[in-house]
Each structure stands twice: as C-alpha cells, then as structure tokens.
Amino acid sequence: MYEFNYHKASSVSDAEQALRNASDGKIVAGGQTLLPTLKQRLASPSDLIDLGGCSELCGISVDGDTVTIGAMTTHAMVANSAEVQSAIPALAGLASNIGDAQVRNLGTIGGSIANNDPAADYPAACLGLGAVIVTDKREIVADDFFTGLFETALDEHEIITAIRFPKPEKACYQKFPNPASRYALVGVMVAKMSSGVRVAVTGAGADGVFRVDAFESALDGSFSASSLDIEMVHLPDLLEDIHGSPGYRENLIRVMGKRAVEACG
Amino acid sequence: MAGNQEFDADRAQDFRVVGTRPARPDGMDKVTGKARFGADMNMPGQLIGKILRSPHPHARIKSIDASEALAMPGVKAVVTAEDFNADAKDRDVLTNIMARDKALYEGHAVAAVAATSRIKAQQALKRIKVNYEILPHVTDVDAAMQPDAPILHDDMFTQGLDEKPAKPSNINARHEFGHGDVEKGFAQADIVIERDFKTAATHQGYIEPHACVANVGADGMSELWVCTQGHFHVRSQCASLLGMDVSRLRVTASEIGGGFGGKTTVFIEPVALALSRKAGRPVKLVMTREEVFKASGPTASSSMRVKIGVKKDGTITAGEASLNYQGGAFPGAPADFGAMSAFACYDLENVKAVAFDVVTNRPKGAAYRAPGAPMSVFAVESVVDELAKEIGMDPFDLRLKNAARDGSKSSYGPKFGKIGLVACLEAAKAHPHYAAPLGPNQGRGVASGFWFNFGGETCSNLNVNEDGTITLAVGTPDIGGSRASMCIMVAEELEVPYERVRAIVADTSALGFNDTTEGSRVTFSSGMALIKAARKAKEEMCKRAAMMWDIPAEAVYWAEGAAHPSGPNAGDFEPMTIEEIAGSAAKTGGPIAGHHEYNADGAGVSFGTHIVDTEVDPETGYVKILRYTVVQDAGKAIHPDYVEGQFQGGAVQGIGWALNEEYIYGEDGRLQNATFLDYRLPVASDLPMIDTVIVEVPNPGHPYGVRGVGETGIVPPLAALANSVSAAAGVRLTDLPMSPPKVLKAIGATKLAAE
C-alpha cells in the first residue's frame, strides 16, 4: 500500500465534504475490491473516506411494491433479510451467492454497483429489475447508471445512498461461476415486471452489464424458456479471456436465461 | 528393491498403538497460530531480499548494471550469477536459481537485492538495468521437439539414442522400458485402440509460498531457516552453490504449509545466503504467489500416444506408449518415471514405453506427488476403459484378468514382490459405490494407479529422558503426519503410552544426512529407523535393569514399558519401569539412547484403484463430482486418519488436474494465470466427501508392514475422471483439463457428427 489519509465519515454530507477536500479521494464502502487493489499498489488515492460509520446508509425497508436498500447494506444482510426474501427472493438469492462468507459480511451493495465490475452480480440485479440508484444529489435509473467497464454515471463527488428495487411479478437470477474466481462467467437476471420483461446479463459484456432486447421481446410474447431459442440480435461485443470465448459466453447467456425463465415458474 | 525380510506377522497380530487415531502433535499449534512457518521467522537486523526476474521467456543477458540500485539509501547488497560458485556440482540448479548467460523463462531470476525494507528492495529492483537480447521462445512440448524449434541449450544432444545426434535439440533424453515384442502382440489382438492424449502443466498449489531467512556470519558460520521438505538436501545444494563447507551451514526446517514435491529443491535459499554473505546481515526472502507460479517448480505437461491390443476374452496382448514430457527450461521432466509407471498395473507379455524428456521456455519443473505417473497412467487407463467397453467386459474384470500380481515381471524390469493391486481391484469392485444407480447425464469411471515408493538415506535418534519420556529426533520434515506416526511406532515398540513420546524435526547439525521427505518414504524409512532405535534402547534398558538386579542381561526381557526378569530362576524382582530405569541412569552408565542410520531398502510399491461418479451438464459442459471412492494399499496404516487424509488429498489434487488446473501460456510466452483467481484449485465446496478404503497387504520390507501412501493417490484420478466424464458426456475426452468449454465443444462435435 501507498500512504493515504483515512477519514471515518459520520454522515453522507461529512463524506461528501471530505471527498471535495481531497486531491484524489476514494470512498470505502466495504473495500472488497479497493483494499486488495491498494495492497497490490495498483492505486494510490490521497484519501480514503470510509462510509462504515454512516448508519443512515444501512438498512432495508419495504414500502408497497418498492424495496429500498441502503448503500452500505452488506450482501449478507440482503441475503438474510426476511423482507427481501419475501418481496424479491431472486435478489436475496443473488446476494447469498456473491463471493464467500467473508466477502458477504463486508461487501456492500453500494460499493458493488459503484465499482461496476463487469463480472459482478449486483449490476445484473439493478439493470434486470429496473432499479433506481439514489445518490446524495439525484436519482438515476439503472439503464443510465452503468456506462462501461468499471464506469458509472456518478459524478466526481457523488455518493450512492440507496437502491430502490420495484417488486417484480417474478424474477430469477442464474449464474454460471467462473471455475477459478467464482465471479460470474455469465449471470442472467430475468424479471417479469408489470411494465414488461427485463433480461440483464453480467460477466459476458466487453462493456459490462447489458440487456438482451431480443430475449425481452420474445418473453413479452410468451414467458417460456423455449421462447429463447431465437437469434440474439444486437448483442454487444462479448468478453474473451482464458476462461471462455465469446461463443461459449453467448451459449451460456441462452442456457442461463432459459434456466432463469424455467425457475421463475 | 527387495530389501530384507523385516515384517513380523506375529507381532502384527497384537498391535496396541499402531492403527489407533490419537490427536496430531502439531494440531494445536496450527489451529492457534503458534506454529512457525517459513515467513514467521525474523532475525535482529535482518534485511529484506527481492529478486529481479526476466519478463522475457527467452533472452540473452548482455549486461546488468546495478550501480543505481546500489546507490539508493537502504540498499545493502545486489547479487547476480557472479556471486555463486561457478563450479557448483549441479550446474542446472546453479543456472536456475540465477540466470547466467540467458534468461530461459518468464520469471527466471537475473539479480537480487537486499535492502532495509521490502518497499526499498522493490524500488531498487526497478533501478537495475538489464540489457536483454530477446530470442525466439517455445513453450509447447510438441513444438519444442520440431527440428526448427528455438534451441534453449546449444550443448544439449539427446541422450539415450544409439548414436549421438549431429545437432543440438530440446530433447534431453530418450528413455525406453519394456519387454517382449509389441508388434507380435498387436498381431495377436482382436481389437487394437490407439489414442493421443494431452495434459497441462499444473502446480502443486501449496498454500505456503517459499520463504527463508539466511544469516551468514563474518566467520562464514551460517544459518538458514527455511520452509522445505528436505533441509539436508538444501544444505548440500546451498553449500555447493555458494562454495562453502557443509559443516558451516546449519539448516533448520520450519513448519511447512504444503509441499507435495515442490519443496524438494532450492530456489530462493541460495540467493538469500548470497545476499546475506555480501551484506553481512541476515536476509529474509519470501516469494509472492505470482513468483511461486512463475519461478518455482510446476509439473510437466505432456503429449502422449498409447496403443493397446486385447483379445475378445480380455487378454491384453500388447501395450505401447510414446510419451513427450516438457519439464521447463532444464532437463529432468519425469518422462522416465512416466514410462516406468504407464503399464505397471498390468502383467504383460509384450510392453514398450518410450519417453522423451524435453526442455521449453517454462520454469524448471520440480517433483509433484508421484512425478510423471499421473499423465501416462491417464492415457493407459483411458484406453483400457475404452477396450473394456469395446469387448463388453466389466472394466474391473478386464483389469483383474491382466493385473500385476505377486511375482509378476513389471513393465519396467524388476519382478514385483508382495503387492496389493488385486486386493484393491477386488475391494473396489465389491464396494457399494460400484453398484449404486446412476441418473441421466451421469457416468462412472474407474482407474488404477501405481507408485514405486522410496527408502533412502535416513538417520534418526531416540532419547530416553530422565523421567522416562521419549524424545525422537528425525531428519525428515513432517509434511503428512509423520511425527504422529513416529510416536505411534515407538510407543508400540517400547510399550509406553503415545503421549509419552514426542517427535521433533531436528536441524542439520543434530543428525547425519537424511534424504528429503519425498517418495512416500518417511513413515517407512524414518519409521523403521526409529523402530530399530527403540529396540536398541530397549536392549540397553534391559541391561541397566539387569545391572541393578545384579543378574545377567540375557535374563531380562521387555514388556508393558518395563524390564522383567525372565522367570523365577532369573530372580524374584518386581518389573522395573522405564521411569525407574531412566531415573537411575546416572548410576548405571549415563543417558539411554537409541539411534539408527542406514540407506533404507525394501520400500514396497503401492497400488490403488479409484471410482468416481460425475454428472455432466450437456448445455454448459460443467462437470460435477457426485461420489468418489479411493481404495489403496497402505501395507499397514499406522495412523489411519493420516492415511485417509493422504488418499483424499491425492484424489483432490488429481481432480484439480483433471478438471480445472492448467498453466496457460500466451503467444508471448508469458503465463496468463499466475494467481489463484485465475488458476483454480479444487476447494471443499467443489467436492463431495471422498470415501476411503484402506487395504492392508503388508510390505515384507518393514517391521510393521508399512508402505508409503503419499503419492499413489494422485495417479488414478485423471483417468478415473476422464472415464467418468466420457461415460456421462457420451464422448471420449483425451485432453486435460476437462474445462467446461472443452467438454461442451466435445459434446457439440459428437452431436454434429450424429446429425
């Protein structure tokens, strides 16, 4: 690690102030990606602003058809929340399969989506369920939030405070884990919303999480696995690495998508 | 390999401690964090060493300029090849630990720095200027054997040919084993199957990276603390590489966090010593995981062809194997062991195995659990499986019909003594696992495996302490529970409780030379040495009791941890306990000890048979292991928990090799996956409980019948998995690892062919 200044923020405004005052500040929201990066000296921020003390950012509430999850809520809390399990079981299930127990006890939903790792699970949940990302400045719909590999619509000093998920009629997330890292080689969230079906894919896109229009319209027509035996037109460029070719990933998108539809019942 | 007849069948009838499962002596220290591993040692005033490594897979080193690094504050020494003994005995090791004229693989050490902190040492590495002339490289074994391949060593002329070749090549040696006439055998066969196979290089994957602390005194008296499987071997190699007397170097083996063969040689140890000698201060050197992957000793990758002929009645008429193994940038790929092991499970009239030891621009391989055997046995056992299906015979029946038995002439030359292959095959066939039903997309695979086992130079001490407890000094680092099994064997022999015996791994100054902990040799060799040492101590204690009773020593015998007069004629004395004898030792001649030193012979070979069920996801190619059973001959299981652990550990490493693990090189000759995020070891959540069956066919060469158990377990899994996956997927898999994309592609190809 290189040297840095450490701030333990007591509130979001406190954190925002510290971020403004720093020459190159970074928010710590669980630190499951940031800390290993620092340890390997791959980043050298001037200041770390830890949101761990901002209790206002932590917690889960259900209001009618909306589940609101505070940005600093850990994966374990989402996975074990009776409210989430009842309102959006697919989301609780997704959280329960992120990383390992240690990661789930420290990593947070806000940290995950702000980082926007192309193989992370939560971006698929946000995009697939049509979530709204609430920040200290505004509200951003998921379709506008994830802008590229490790890139988001967040401004320089903007802090995520909560994520609002609309309750789907039904939804399921299916992940094929990378045999080595256990990140998603491909993860597919299928959600039947009142407004129509949404299908979001993580792990496969060369520019990060994306929606599969062809699948969505097919499922809008008939919500059955066999509807997905169609050509996936307009797919973005897919990732190629030592664990899978674009062709292998494309196959997984279909297979995981069909399994998600089947599991929706 | 015959050894003496040591086994005592009567004695084996009434073992009291052998075969029990007492608590392991290192357990508490390990779970509480008290155990000291390689990196846990620190010395006053120590410097931190770091190694500069070649980024190129093959390059001539034209010059190295370390002047800027040396001028940095906190930098105390820089060493290069010039700082080692150019006349060292093992030139390949000399050149591997520090490149001389050429860097031969990505990660090859070219210089090293010692500084007052890790950060300063790392910064100094960046200031060492190395002028490289980049050369063409080759990392694939078949490509390296081509006539136009880039040549690594201008002075490498293939050995083992009838005539010395005119030109140098990357083929270091050709080995051939076998007997009979394979062509005649194939002509007698009803069915002949010939297949090509490939396996990837894998790493032993020990969780503890290499680590050491070296301290060379101004008078040349030196100490080395190191994580190793063989500190005596480290001492002799380092003394040679540094040009110093063996007596000046005292090596202490730390607790070890896994080795599996990978810690049987030196990498950083001579470098730490050279830095310490130059800086005049202790130097600590610890590898990063990336360095472990790129610059320690992974196993060979292979490219193989196997051909086997069989009659319709199941008689194998001939077996032939051609094996190409690359073992990195220096000679020593275990191709010879591969050739010797390939057909060891079979009693064949006609058999021939030819193997080539090939060099490539990869790190120099080290031993890995039964080095060389898993690959060739994978190929042979795959073809045997296919032949069984072809002639409609149960795969166990085909194996039993052709199995090596007591007295069979082995495929590599010697006659087998008493062996347990048939017992393993029969136990596996009778196991409920073999009769369990299978569902759709599921398949069952079986395979056998073999390992030679080793004896070797051994020197152990036993001291009877003044309170009658026992301390054992052994020279073989404990990598698989040997301290517990040593204590059990001595407790058995002296008839004292296990808790009264403590074994420690002594440093190199305390004992004569001991071969490394390798070849599954320790429970056999150090164990036999301690049994003999205990017998000497017993004899001495009987003498002491006789002296105190004033009767002849021959009239005293040992039982229940005490000396007894042999009968009323000898005298009417209460038994004299070990505590009483030890407590009076000062009056009867001083301390009581036993020791034994020898070059152990008679390590019995070991066979095993595995059964595995898998389910293949036909849409993704993912392989799930449903059930796994290991059946293996242990001769005699001294501490059955540890024996089962060895069986399970071998199986798990073989599973990783079969399904996931792989050194992946790019076109640029660089390793693409030098991290555990990209190189997948199997973990507990990937696996079912591995069932074990301990077969005990006593080894005549050991007093208690022990055979080594550490290595055989990794030999069958590659083939067992390939046979299981092939059955589940409906297509023969011959290329490891069977990663999901590869399995899916194979399934897709069959589907296309069917359409």
Side-chain angles (χ1 to χ4, degrees):
Chain A
M1 270 189 204
Y2 294 100
E3 284 182 14
F4 52 81
N5 301 310
Y6 177 80
H7 309 266
K8 181 138 194 172
S10 55
S11 65
V12 176
S13 56
D14 183 23
E16 204 263 350
Q17 195 57 46
L19 203 50
R20 278 189 188 285
N21 292 341
S23 61
D24 179 21
K26 271 272 183 197
I27 296 281
V28 185
Q32 296 307 289
T33 301
L34 181 59
L35 294 188
T37 311
L38 296 180
K39 282 182 183 170
Q40 294 188 61
R41 299 194 142 207
L42 296 173
S44 55
S46 64
D47 296 71
L48 290 189
I49 299 116
D50 188 352
L51 298 183
C54 303
S55 50
E56 61 191 287
L57 295 180
C58 196
I60 294 163
S61 65
V62 180
D63 180 11
D65 281 343
T66 305
V67 177
T68 304
I69 302 178
M72 286 298 288
T73 309
T74 64
H75 310 326
M77 290 163 74
V78 174
N80 297 324
S81 155
E83 287 121 312
V84 180
Q85 283 168 3
S86 144
I88 318 179
L91 185 59
L94 173 146
S96 73
N97 278 318
I98 298 174
D100 53 26
Q102 289 85 341
V103 168
R104 291 193 291 274
N105 281 327
L106 286 168
T108 65
I109 186 167
S112 170
I113 64 171
N115 186 50
N116 193 18
D117 187 305
D121 298 300
Y122 266 134
C126 293
L127 193 60
L129 291 163
V132 174
I133 287 85
V134 184
T135 76
D136 57 344
K137 312 267 187 311
R138 57 184 167 145
E139 296 187 351
I140 310 168
V141 294
D143 285 289
D144 296 336
F145 183 83
F146 302 102
T147 54
L149 286 187
F150 300 101
E151 297 286 337
T152 68
L154 289 172
D155 288 337
E156 203 179 346
H157 301 131
E158 192 170 14
I159 297 171
I160 301 172
T161 56
I163 296 93
R164 274 208 317 264
F165 290 95
K167 217 169 126 177
E169 284 174 30
K170 43 190 169 186
C172 179
Y173 179 67
Q174 289 284 324
K175 163 158 88 168
F176 187 86
N178 175 324
S181 69
R182 295 305 157 109
Y183 271 97
L185 195 61
V186 165
V188 180
M189 174 65 89
V190 173
K192 189 159 195 257
M193 314 299 296
S194 53
S195 55
V197 175
R198 295 173 69 98
V199 178
V201 175
T202 189
D207 284 318
V209 65
F210 62 89
R211 288 171 67 183
V212 187
D213 302 342
F215 278 7
E216 291 182 356
S217 27
L219 292 171
D220 274 333
S222 163
F223 195 79
S224 66
S226 58
S227 303
L228 301 188
D229 289 324
I230 51 163
E231 201 188 333
M232 279 181 270
V233 287
H234 306 308
L235 271 190
D237 287 345
L238 298 184
L239 279 172
E240 163 139 44
D241 60 23
I242 57 173
H243 303 291
S245 64
Y248 184 68
R249 282 186 159 90
E250 186 174 331
N251 171 65
L252 285 181
I253 293 170
R254 187 188 313 280
V255 172
M256 293 296 122
K258 290 170 83 166
R259 288 181 186 180
V261 172
E262 271 162 13
C264 277
Chain B
M1 64 180 279
N4 298 323
Q5 175 63 39
E6 299 279 354
F7 180 65
D8 179 347
D10 293 339
R11 181 83 183 72
Q13 293 301 308
D14 59 350
F15 283 137
R16 284 186 277 187
V17 193
V18 166
T20 62
R21 303 169 184 248
R24 53 192 291 168
D26 53 331
M28 189 65 88
D29 281 358
K30 282 179 177 164
V31 298
T32 58
K34 186 173 154 242
R36 286 193 307 164
F37 292 90
D40 291 327
M41 169 61 86
N42 294 291
M43 289 189 191
Q46 84 186 6
L47 304 172
I48 302 297
K50 291 299 285 181
I51 294 177
L52 182 68
R53 300 186 177 279
S54 168
H56 309 296
H58 196 191
R60 194 170 304 286
I61 300 169
K62 300 179 83 174
S63 64
I64 301 175
D65 177 2
S67 53
E68 269 188 41
L70 275 166
M72 292 169 72
V75 173
K76 301 296 181 188
V78 172
V79 296
T80 63
E82 288 173 13
D83 294 279
F84 297 89
N85 173 23
D87 300 322
K89 269 185 294 189
D90 193 331
R91 203 172 160 81
D92 290 341
V93 173
L94 174 74
T95 315
N96 189 42
I97 55 124
M98 194 60 72
R100 295 189 93 75
D101 307 320
K102 290 205 294 186
L104 292 163
Y105 55 92
E106 183 211 13
H108 198 168
V110 295
V113 170
T116 49
S117 75
R118 185 169 61 90
I119 299 292
K120 283 178 182 159
Q122 274 170 335
Q123 287 166 342
L125 291 186
K126 293 182 188 152
R127 308 282 280 275
I128 298 177
K129 293 190 186 116
V130 184
N131 186 4
Y132 293 105
E133 177 196 340
I134 295 172
L135 301 170
H137 63 268
V138 59
T139 56
D140 177 75
V141 61
D142 292 326
M145 295 174 79
Q146 296 302 314
D148 58 346
I151 297 294
L152 273 74
H153 304 281
D154 293 336
D155 57 352
M156 181 173 282
F157 295 87
T158 310
Q159 298 165 41
L161 302 179
D162 293 338
E163 274 177 42
K164 184 182 171 177
K167 286 199 323 186
S169 76
N170 293 322
I171 305 171
N172 174 60
R174 177 188 185 278
H175 304 279
E176 182 175 334
F177 298 89
H179 54 253
D181 178 346
V182 289
E183 290 316 321
K184 196 184 92 196
F186 288 126
Q188 292 163 353
D190 294 317
I191 294 165
V192 176
I193 291 182
E194 184 172 9
R195 292 273 177 271
D196 291 331
F197 298 89
K198 274 182 192 288
T199 66
T202 60
H203 196 272
Q204 299 85 349
Y206 32 82
I207 296 305
E208 184 195 18
H210 297 267
C212 67
V213 185
N215 190 8
V216 180
D219 56 359
M221 294 303 168
S222 309
E223 291 175 36
L224 181 69
W225 164 271
V226 58
C227 163
T228 178
Q229 292 175 238
H231 45 318
F232 287 90
H233 188 59
V234 167
R235 180 181 66 172
S236 67
Q237 283 197 312
C238 287
S240 169
L241 293 165
L242 284 125
M244 62 200 285
D245 288 346
V246 166
S247 65
R248 292 186 171 233
L249 179 57
R250 178 185 179 191
V251 183
T252 306
S254 72
E255 198 63 67
I256 183 167
F260 313 108
K263 291 176 182 166
T264 55
T265 182
V266 294
F267 299 105
I268 56 173
E269 299 80 1
V271 179
L273 283 162
L275 284 168
S276 175
R277 179 164 70 182
K278 213 162 181 182
R281 284 168 64 172
V283 173
K284 180 171 182 172
L285 239 171
V286 180
M287 272 194 182
T288 62
R289 180 59 59 183
E290 186 183 351
E291 287 180 293
V292 172
F293 274 114
K294 290 183 176 173
S296 66
T299 189
S301 62
S302 72
S303 172
M304 306 174 286
R305 173 165 290 183
V306 164
K307 181 177 177 184
I308 302 176
V310 67
K311 287 186 184 167
K312 280 182 182 148
D313 71 353
T315 308
I316 296 178
T317 57
E320 186 174 10
S322 176
L323 315 169
N324 305 329
Y325 285 19
Q326 73 71 31
F330 297 90
D336 46 353
F337 286 157
M340 292 164 83
S341 314
F343 291 101
C345 291
Y346 298 95
D347 183 0
L348 302 178
E349 234 172 82
N350 307 296
V351 58
K352 180 179 172 185
V354 175
F356 294 96
D357 169 12
V358 180
V359 296
T360 65
N361 294 110
R362 297 188 184 211
K364 173 175 164 52
Y368 181 17
R369 217 167 189 160
M375 307 80 144
S376 63
V377 169
F378 154 60
V380 167
E381 289 292 84
S382 293
V383 174
V384 168
D385 189 70
E386 218 177 324
L387 285 168
K389 285 196 171 57
E390 201 65 34
I391 61 170
M393 197 166 176
D394 175 271
F396 280 136
D397 290 341
L398 177 58
R399 285 175 171 84
L400 278 163
K401 190 172 174 75
N402 298 281
R405 291 163 192 268
D406 297 356
S408 293
K409 181 173 170 57
S410 72
S411 58
Y412 57 93
K415 267 194 178 158
F416 284 126
K418 200 157 181 52
I419 58 173
L421 175 61
V422 168
C424 288
L425 285 166
E426 284 172 347
K429 194 183 171 194
H431 195 282
H433 181 170
Y434 194 57
L438 288 168
N441 298 317
Q442 298 180 354
R444 176 165 297 142
V446 304
S448 292
F450 154 89
W451 189 243
F452 308 90
N453 293 337
F454 178 52
E457 288 190 79
T458 309
C459 176
S460 305
N461 278 357
L462 177 154
N463 290 304
V464 180
N465 303 317
E466 56 274 28
D467 61 353
T469 59
I470 317 288
T471 305
L472 311 176
V474 291
T476 40
D478 178 357
I479 64 171
S482 55
R483 277 169 294 191
S485 54
M486 298 301 124
C487 293
I488 287 177
M489 284 185 271
V490 168
E492 182 73 52
E493 199 62 35
L494 294 179
E495 301 181 51
V496 298
Y498 167 81
E499 293 72 22
R500 303 283 281 173
V501 189
R502 182 184 185 192
I504 59 128
V505 178
D507 70 58
T508 54
S509 63
L511 291 169
F513 183 85
N514 275 273
D515 269 319
T516 300
T517 297
E518 62 188 355
S520 301
R521 73 178 215 85
V522 171
T523 306
F524 170 76
S525 306
S526 292
M528 181 150 60
L530 285 166
I531 289 169
K532 296 198 167 182
R535 288 175 180 171
K536 280 182 204 156
K538 255 191 324 197
E539 198 185 316
E540 181 63 23
M541 288 190 286
C542 287
K543 252 191 235 168
R544 302 293 179 95
M547 195 185 293
M548 286 189 278
W549 287 332
D550 198 19
I551 62 172
E554 302 79 62
V556 179
Y557 73 95
W558 190 264
E560 310 278 345
H564 298 251
S566 56
N569 291 345
D572 184 17
F573 302 107
E574 283 297 303
M576 192 179 286
T577 64
I578 188 169
E579 289 84 357
E580 291 167 332
I581 296 168
S584 320
K587 288 178 278 182
T588 57
I592 299 162
H595 57 91
H596 193 73
E597 44 279 327
Y598 67 145
N599 194 347
D601 213 350
V605 299
S606 158
F607 291 90
T609 297
H610 293 195
I611 312 171
V612 57
D613 296 351
T614 60
E615 181 172 315
V616 173
D617 184 334
E619 294 181 315
T620 66
Y622 175 76
V623 176
K624 183 179 180 189
I625 297 176
L626 304 170
R627 187 169 180 181
Y628 202 110
T629 303
V630 178
V631 182
Q632 188 180 317
D633 177 16
K636 177 67 204 175
I638 301 299
H639 191 307
D641 277 354
Y642 276 117
V643 172
E644 288 161 4
Q646 289 293 331
F647 289 5
Q648 292 166 325
V652 170
Q653 289 190 310
I655 289 167
W657 201 336
L659 297 184
N660 285 318
E661 295 181 44
E662 177 180 15
Y663 263 53
I664 302 171
Y665 279 88
E667 291 289 316
D668 58 2
R670 293 186 172 127
L671 185 60
Q672 305 293 296
N673 58 338
T675 115
F676 280 139
L677 272 181
D678 289 319
Y679 180 98
R680 179 62 173 189
L681 294 176
V683 298
S685 55
D686 293 327
L687 302 163
M689 182 65 185
I690 311 277
D691 265 341
T692 55
V693 177
I694 301 175
V695 169
E696 294 184 326
V697 176
N699 170 21
H702 185 275
Y704 295 170
V706 166
R707 296 175 195 271
V709 296
E711 290 165 287
T712 302
I714 201 175
V715 183
L718 281 59
L721 261 300
N723 294 341
S724 173
V725 172
S726 299
V731 52
R732 175 58 52 181
L733 276 299
T734 56
D735 186 357
L736 303 186
M738 295 177 284
S739 61
K742 220 185 269 177
V743 173
L744 188 68
K745 197 174 163 194
I747 294 172
T750 347
K751 275 189 193 152
L752 275 182
E755 286 161 11

